Amino acid sequence: MSETYHPAAIEPRIQAQWSEQLADRADHGDGERFYCLSMFPYPSGKLHMGHMRNYTIGDVITRYQRMCGKRVLQPMGWDAFGLPAENAAMANGVPPAQWTRNNIDHMRSQLKALGFAIDWERELATCDPEYYRWNQWFFLRLLERGIAYKKTGLVNWDPVDQTVLANEQVVEGRGWRTGALVEKREIAMYYLRITDYAQELLDSLDQLEGWPEQVRTMQANWIGRSEGAEIRFACGDSDIKVFTTRPDTLMGATYMAVAAEHPLARAAAANNPALAEFIVACQRGGVSEADIATQEKLGMDTGLKAIHPLSGAELPVWVANYVLMGYGEGAIMAVPGHDERDFEFARKYQLPIVQVISRPDEQPYDDQQWHEDYATREGHLVNSGPYDGQTCPQAHAAIVADLEGRDAGNSRVQFRLRDWGISRQRYWGCPIPIIHCDHCGDVPVPDEDLPVRLPEDLVPDGAGNPLARCEAFVNTSCPRCGAPARRETDTMDTFVDSSWYFLRYTCSDNDQAMVDGRTNDWMPVNQYIGGVEHAILHLLYARFWTKLMRDAGLVDVDEPFARLLTQGMVLAETYFREDEAGRRTWFNPADVDLRRDDKGRVTAAVLRHDGAPVEAGGIEKMAKSKNNGVDPQALVEQYGADTVRLFSMFASPPTQSLEWSDAGVEGAWRFLKRLWAGIQAHLAAGPAAAFDPATLDDEGRELRRLLHETIAKVGDDFGRRYTFNTAIAAIMEFCNHLARYQGSPGATPGLCQEAWLAVIRLIGPVTPHIAEALWQALGQTGSLFEAGWPEVDPSALVRQSVTVVVQVNGKVRGRVELPPGSSREQIEQLALAEDNVQRFVADQTIRRVIVVPDKLVNIVVA
RNA sequence: GCCGGGGUGGCGGAACUGGUAGACGCGCCGGACUCAAAAUCCGGUUCUGGAAACAGAGUGAGGGUUCGAUUCCCUCCCCCGGCACCA
C-alpha cells in the first residue's frame, strides 16, 4: 500500500479488476432482481455535471443494493436522435450521424472513467436501425388498432426559411435564424390516442407510491380531468358545441367565443374582410401555451348569433384569441359574471355582465371589479328564472337534466390532456413507415420491409427537411399496387424513442422481437432516476407506451417505474463584464479569483489573467450561454473519479439543486486523503488481534456505539431516505472520532480494524475505487461489493446515560444527565435541581411540566 | 397566465413524526510544523452584549395555532422547473 493516496494509480487498476471479474453484468449472481435505471443521456458532446450527478446517484443505489445481496441491472444507452445534431450539422457541415456517433464514443469513455457499475453488454442507441425498427413495427400495430391516426395540427412556421420551428427556436415571436415573425400553420400529422388512456393514466397514479407526491400532482393536473356538460347552441344551420364545468351558470351566458381556427370563424370571415384580417392576426405568434396564455386578450364579433338553449336569447358569437382550438370544442359559452377571463374580456369589449350566483352574505355584485368569490360554487342562483334559489350543485343537475330533455346537452367528462402528435418535419429521427401512393393513399410499409432506414449522409441547412429532397429515400413503389410512390418524410418525436428504451435493455440482443420473456423478468424498473424537468412529458409518455405494449400482449406490467427519484439541477456562479452597449461577456468560474474580508465574505471577483474585476451574475443552471459549466473530465483528471463522485453526493440531497464549488471538491479530496492516512497509520501499528467487545473501556465502548449508530444511519440513508449527503456527513463524523480514538494511548487495535472495515463498506457505494483498494490493503479477499453490508450489533447501541434538555417557558436553560428510561418524576426532580434552571424558576409558580422521556423537559412558569 | 418546487450562519447544507436551530463540509481567524511556502495537524467561528459564566435576538416578510414552530394554518414577497416541436 502506497503511503499517500494516488487515485490516478488506483482507479484504472481497480476498474480493470472489476472488468475481469465481469462484476457489473446483470446476469452475474443469483439474488433477488433489482433494476436500477438512470435516464439515458442525449449525446451532446461531452458529459456534463448533470449527467455526472445523475449516474452517480444511480451507481450509489446500484452498489448499495448489490452489497445487500441483490442482483442489479444498471444499463446505459443513448437518446441519440434530436435537434442538436441538426444544429451541429448546420454549424460544422458534419452529418448528424457522424457527429452523434463520435459523441457517443467520447461520452462512453468518460462514463467508464467514472467507475459506474454499468452492464455495457446491453448498451443501445436510438439512432441504430436495430432499435428504431421496433418503433416502426409498433407504430404499424398502433395504426391497425386505431390508436395511431392522422389529423391536422398547428405548428410554428418560419415564412423565410419555409420550415417548421420547434418552440425553443421561436425567440420573442421570431424565428431564431431568420428573425422573421413566426406564424401558426396547420399541417397533417400522425397522432396517438393518449386521451383513450387518460382515465387509466390518472387512476394508476394512486398506485405509484414510490413516486414523489409533486410529480403525481403535476401529472394529475396535466391530465386535467374535469366533470361538466356539453351544451349545444344553435347557430344558423349548425350547432356550436361547447364544454363547460359550470352548467349552473348557463343563465349568465351573454356571448359565445370561438377559436380563430374554428370552422365557424372561417365561414364568417369569408364575406367579412375585417374578421378575416383579425383571424390572420391571430395566426401571428407561436403555438406554445405559455405564449398564448400571456398574450393580450383580443376578440372580434363575427356578427353571427347563437340561440341560448334554455332562454332562447340571441347571443353574439365572437372570435377570441384566448379560446384554444386544442381544448374541448374550440368554443366556449362566456359567463363574464363568474369567470375571470370572460369578465376581463366583457369589460374590454363592453359585453353584458350578468350575476347569476349570489355572493357570500348577499353582498351586492360589482360589475366594475372582479372579486375572487365570483368564481365559487358556494352561493345560490339568482337572475336565472326557474332555477333561482337553488344551490350550485342543484342547479347543475337541474340544468343538465333540462338540456337533456331538449336534446341540447348532456353530462360529460373532459380532459385537458391532448392526443400526442408524433410527426416531426425533421431529418434526424426515426422515419414513419408509410408510403404515399396516388392510387392507394397512405399505405403502411410491410413488416418484412422494416426497418425503413434513415440515410445517414445528409446535412441539414435549416430550410426544411433534407429527407424530403433526398430522391433515393423518397422514391419507392407502392407495396399494394406497385406503382411509383413516395415515402413519408416526417420522422417520429424523440419521446417515442425514450418511451420504451428501458424495456429494450432487458433484451437488447434480440433481433427477432421488440421484447421477450426477459423483459417481464426485470420489469418494472425498481428505481428510476432523472431530472425533474422530465416530470410530465417523458414520464407520462413512457407510462402510456408501456400500457400500449401491455394491451398488445408484449409486457405484463401496468406501470414501468415503481420508484422515482427526481434529481435537482446543477448550478454554478456566473461572472460577466458589460461593454458600453450593454452586451455581456461571460467568464468561467474556473478563471475567476475571489477576494474576501476577514470574516470570509466575498468582497470582489477578479479575472485571473488580467487581475481586473468582474461582476457576479448570480447562481444559475450550468449552461453554455452563461459560460458557467464545470467540466467533470478536468476534475476527474485532477482529483480522480472518487473525489468528484464524493463531492457531488455530499454537497446537497439528490432531489435539490446542487451548487458547484471547487473549494467543496477540495474538501472531499481532503477527506479521502485522511481516510487513506488513517488506515495507513492503523496498518503501521501492526496486526490487530481479535477483541471481546465486553472488555472495552468507556472510550472503546463509546466508539463502538458510535460505529453501530453510524452503520444504522447510513443504511437507512442509502436504502430508504436517499439522502446521500447526510450518510456521508455521518461517515465523516465517525471517521473524526475514530482517528482521535486510534491516536489515543488505550486504543484497542481490533476495534479499529472492525471500525475501518465497516467504514470502507459504508463509503464503498460512493467512492468505490478507494474503498476496494483499502479493502485489499486491510487483507480482505474478494471484492468489497461481494462482502455484504455491515450488520448493526444491537448490544453496541446500549447507552449508559442520556442528556435531557431542560427548558423554562420553551427556552433552553440547562441540561441534565441521567440513565435512559428514567421516570418522569426522576427527570422532573433532577431538572428542577439544576442551578441555571433554579434561577428562572425560583420565585415563580410552576403551572405545568412537560416531559418528553430521554429528551426534554419544559417547565412552564408564570 | 396556469401547474409544481424552493427561501435556514460569510457559503453548500443538517435538524427524518411539533421537542436542544446551525450536524458535516467549505471559507475565515488564531496556533503548531517550516529558513519560507505548500501540504498537514490543533483550536475558534450565527449575530449583538460580556473577560467569562451567561443573557438577548434569530430559519424570506407579516399574522395565527401550541407549553414548545425551520416543521402545521393564513396573507404577502422573491427565486427556480414545466407548459405538449429542447431533451
Side-chain angles (χ1 to χ4, degrees):
Chain A
M1 178 184 179
S2 106
E3 209 164 303
T4 50
Y5 172 46
H6 291 300
I10 295 165
E11 291 180 357
R13 192 189 94 220
I14 297 293
Q15 282 169 15
Q17 289 175 9
W18 289 334
S19 169
E20 218 167 281
Q21 298 158 357
L22 306 178
D24 302 328
R25 295 280 184 83
D27 35 24
H28 179 89
D30 54 3
E32 189 190 333
R33 288 170 201 265
F34 188 96
Y35 188 173
C36 183
L37 177 73
S38 294
M39 289 183 186
F40 63 169
Y42 180 79
S44 54
K46 51 186 186 181
L47 222 55
H48 62 235
M49 278 302 172
H51 295 133
M52 152 77 207
R53 187 184 193 198
N54 195 160
Y55 304 137
T56 304
I57 294 167
D59 203 47
V60 170
I61 295 169
T62 293
R63 289 181 183 277
Y64 171 73
Q65 292 295 340
R66 193 171 286 172
M67 288 177 79
C68 290
K70 302 267 176 65
R71 176 179 161 194
V72 184
L73 166 57
Q74 180 174 235
M76 185 54 67
W78 310 95
D79 190 11
F81 276 137
L83 213 45
E86 299 200 20
N87 295 339
M90 281 186 254
N92 311 318
V94 180
Q98 193 187 323
W99 181 85
T100 302
R101 295 214 162 81
N102 286 344
N103 290 348
I104 288 173
D105 288 341
H106 183 238
M107 290 170 76
R108 185 192 302 108
S109 70
Q110 291 188 297
L111 287 173
K112 287 191 171 175
L114 283 160
F116 297 133
I118 290 166
D119 184 349
W120 286 103
E121 290 293 298
R122 295 157 186 271
E123 179 183 359
L124 57 84
T126 57
C127 64
D128 291 339
E130 301 77 50
Y131 182 80
Y132 67 68
R133 70 175 293 187
W134 300 111
N135 285 358
Q136 296 173 341
W137 178 82
F138 196 62
F139 171 81
L140 295 175
R141 303 290 84 74
L142 295 178
L143 211 54
E144 289 160 3
R145 282 161 60 192
I147 298 285
Y149 68 101
K150 206 173 182 182
K151 71 164 184 183
T152 62
L154 285 183
V155 294
N156 302 303
W157 181 255
D158 185 318
V160 173
D161 262 350
Q162 293 284 298
T163 193
V164 175
L165 297 178
N167 282 335
E168 71 154 12
Q169 295 175 322
V170 178
V171 182
E172 287 168 11
R174 293 171 181 274
W176 66 323
R177 280 159 48 83
T178 63
L181 282 170
V182 167
E183 300 162 12
K184 299 183 187 73
R185 182 169 278 214
E186 224 171 336
I187 60 168
M189 303 202 285
Y190 284 96
Y191 284 82
L192 303 185
R193 286 189 205 281
I194 192 171
T195 50
D196 281 6
Y197 286 74
Q199 191 66 52
E200 193 196 338
L201 287 165
L202 183 64
D203 291 342
S204 48
L205 283 174
D206 293 340
Q207 301 158 23
L208 298 176
E209 284 161 14
W211 282 40
E213 197 56 49
Q214 78 261 24
V215 175
R216 291 197 273 173
T217 305
M218 279 193 268
Q219 291 220 348
N221 290 340
W222 184 261
I223 294 166
R225 183 183 201 275
S226 51
E227 290 180 13
E230 176 181 305
I231 305 178
R232 290 177 291 278
F233 291 72
C235 178
D237 300 332
S238 58
D239 275 352
I240 303 178
K241 215 196 278 184
V242 305
F243 173 79
T244 177
T245 56
R246 295 296 302 273
D248 51 315
T249 64
L250 177 57
M251 300 308 278
T254 59
Y255 67 98
M256 309 291 291
V258 300
E261 298 83 16
H262 196 278
L264 215 64
R266 303 226 161 140
N271 42 23
N272 183 339
L275 187 63
E277 203 175 301
F278 176 73
I279 288 172
V280 169
C282 287
Q283 304 292 308
R284 276 204 289 270
V287 297
S288 86
E289 192 187 274
D291 285 347
I292 289 161
T294 50
Q295 72 193 358
E296 191 190 356
K297 288 178 187 57
L298 295 173
M300 185 175 275
D301 194 349
T302 60
L304 299 170
K305 302 291 179 198
I307 306 301
H308 192 290
L310 297 182
S311 71
E314 282 198 338
L315 304 179
V317 179
W318 284 62
V319 175
N321 66 352
Y322 71 94
V323 179
L324 304 180
M325 198 58 213
Y327 181 73
E329 304 294 338
I332 60 160
M333 66 173 205
V335 183
H338 302 280
D339 179 279
E340 190 168 3
R341 285 174 309 177
D342 296 346
F343 184 90
E344 194 190 313
F345 191 85
R347 295 260 311 147
K348 180 166 181 168
Y349 292 104
Q350 280 98 50
L351 291 157
I353 297 172
V354 177
Q355 179 195 17
V356 290
I357 310 288
S358 67
R359 296 190 65 195
D361 308 323
E362 304 299 323
Q363 293 167 53
Y365 189 93
D366 172 9
D367 65 7
Q368 303 297 302
Q369 178 66 47
W370 175 260
H371 295 270
E372 285 298 312
D373 64 76
Y374 291 178
T376 70
R377 292 170 202 249
E378 299 303 311
H380 56 86
L381 270 75
V382 295
N383 301 324
S384 295
Y387 309 103
D388 281 355
Q390 296 187 9
T391 63
C392 290
Q394 286 168 344
H396 183 126
I399 288 172
V400 170
D402 288 350
L403 288 170
E404 277 171 354
R406 294 167 191 226
D407 196 27
N410 48 270
S411 283
R412 206 182 95 184
V413 169
Q414 174 70 36
F415 293 96
R416 201 187 78 97
L417 183 67
R418 308 199 295 260
D419 275 343
W420 175 13
I422 60 158
S423 295
R424 297 291 179 268
Q425 298 68 45
R426 311 203 180 282
Y427 158 55
W428 190 235
C430 166
I432 293 176
I434 294 287
I435 290 168
H436 302 292
C437 170
D438 287 340
H439 314 288
C440 311
D442 298 343
V443 182
V445 172
D447 287 355
E448 58 272 23
D449 294 343
L450 297 182
V452 175
R453 284 173 187 271
L454 185 71
E456 296 206 346
D457 53 352
L458 306 185
V459 181
D461 60 7
N465 182 354
L467 205 50
R469 300 188 299 255
C470 176
E471 299 291 326
F473 177 81
V474 173
N475 294 327
T476 184
S477 54
C478 174
R480 208 162 283 166
C481 72
R486 288 159 289 110
R487 285 194 190 278
E488 170 67 53
T489 59
D490 279 1
T491 53
M492 292 186 199
D493 182 4
T494 56
F495 278 126
V496 172
D497 309 327
S498 55
S499 287
W500 70 282
Y501 73 106
F502 45 89
L503 300 172
R504 187 65 186 170
Y505 281 140
T506 62
C507 58
S508 57
D509 57 354
N510 188 335
D511 60 2
Q512 298 300 307
M514 188 174 186
V515 291
D516 60 32
R518 294 172 292 176
T519 310
N520 285 330
D521 291 341
W522 281 108
M523 289 299 289
V525 171
N526 298 84
Q527 180 64 58
Y528 197 29
I529 305 141
V532 68
E533 66 272 21
H534 298 292
I536 296 175
L537 293 178
H538 161 61
L539 289 168
L540 190 67
Y541 292 142
R543 294 179 59 217
F544 169 52
W545 195 277
T546 300
K547 290 175 194 296
L548 291 176
M549 287 183 63
R550 174 202 62 193
D551 290 349
L554 294 168
V555 295
D556 290 342
V557 290
D558 293 320
E559 284 289 339
F561 313 121
R563 193 169 166 178
L564 173 70
L565 188 154
T566 53
Q567 64 156 352
M569 295 176 308
V570 182
L571 318 174
E573 188 65 73
T574 58
Y575 298 100
F576 66 91
R577 284 183 190 150
E578 213 166 54
D579 65 14
E580 299 78 35
R583 276 187 303 263
R584 288 179 173 187
T585 311
W586 299 89
F587 299 100
N588 195 276
D591 303 325
V592 172
D593 286 330
L594 301 179
R595 302 270 155 86
R596 293 169 186 277
D597 66 12
D598 60 4
K599 294 213 165 153
R601 277 184 284 250
V602 173
T603 52
V606 298
L607 193 62
R608 190 166 308 128
H609 83 259
D610 62 12
V614 292
E615 285 185 63
I619 290 152
E620 304 222 30
K621 181 178 177 171
M622 281 188 185
K624 276 203 186 102
S625 63
K626 296 285 171 66
N627 191 16
N628 65 338
V630 176
D631 184 6
Q633 187 75 26
L635 288 165
V636 170
E637 282 162 16
Q638 191 180 349
Y639 295 102
D642 284 338
T643 292
V644 185
R645 293 171 59 122
L646 179 63
F647 174 71
S648 69
M649 292 301 96
F650 177 62
S652 65
T655 53
Q656 280 180 32
S657 59
L658 179 153
E659 201 177 307
W660 199 261
S661 151
D662 288 344
V665 177
E666 193 73 36
W669 163 246
R670 284 207 284 257
F671 170 72
L672 293 182
K673 279 199 290 189
R674 277 200 302 275
L675 178 65
W676 190 273
I679 288 178
Q680 181 71 30
H682 167 67
L683 289 170
F691 75 106
D692 177 4
T695 63
L696 288 171
D697 59 10
D698 284 355
E699 283 73 30
R701 217 166 34 233
E702 172 75 359
L703 186 85
R704 196 152 182 277
R705 197 196 89 227
L706 291 170
L707 170 63
H708 285 270
E709 279 178 357
T710 304
I711 292 170
K713 158 86 179 154
V714 173
D716 189 46
D717 284 352
F718 279 165
R720 178 183 65 92
R721 292 216 302 157
Y722 286 3
T723 50
F724 309 128
N725 56 326
T726 55
I728 294 165
I731 295 167
M732 286 177 169
E733 201 172 356
F734 177 73
C735 284
N736 292 341
H737 289 295
L738 176 54
R740 195 162 301 150
Y741 175 81
Q742 180 171 270
S744 68
T748 302
L751 176 58
C752 294
Q753 177 83 4
E754 178 193 335
W756 286 124
L757 284 172
V759 162
I760 289 166
R761 281 188 283 175
L762 296 181
I763 201 72
V766 181
T767 58
H769 309 89
I770 188 176
E772 189 81 282
L774 289 171
W775 184 251
Q776 292 167 2
L778 284 170
Q780 307 299 304
T781 51
S783 171
L784 164 73
F785 298 99
E786 308 282 326
W789 189 250
E791 277 178 38
V792 177
D793 176 359
S795 73
L797 298 177
V798 177
R799 281 172 177 270
Q800 310 292 318
S801 72
V802 290
T803 305
V804 171
V805 165
V806 187
Q807 298 182 334
V808 179
N809 285 350
K811 285 187 195 286
V812 180
R813 298 302 181 186
R815 287 174 175 78
V816 293
E817 286 286 320
L818 63 184
S822 300
S823 71
R824 300 177 82 87
E825 292 71 24
Q826 285 171 310
I827 296 171
E828 201 176 319
Q829 193 188 351
L830 205 61
L832 282 166
E834 210 270 345
D835 286 352
N836 198 43
V837 173
Q838 266 301 312
R839 286 176 48 207
F840 288 87
V841 177
D843 50 349
Q844 311 259 10
T845 314
I846 295 173
R847 301 280 181 206
R848 236 177 121 176
V849 179
I850 289 133
V851 178
V852 182
D854 291 350
K855 268 200 146 166
L856 173 140
V857 187
N858 188 12
I859 301 162
V860 184
V861 298

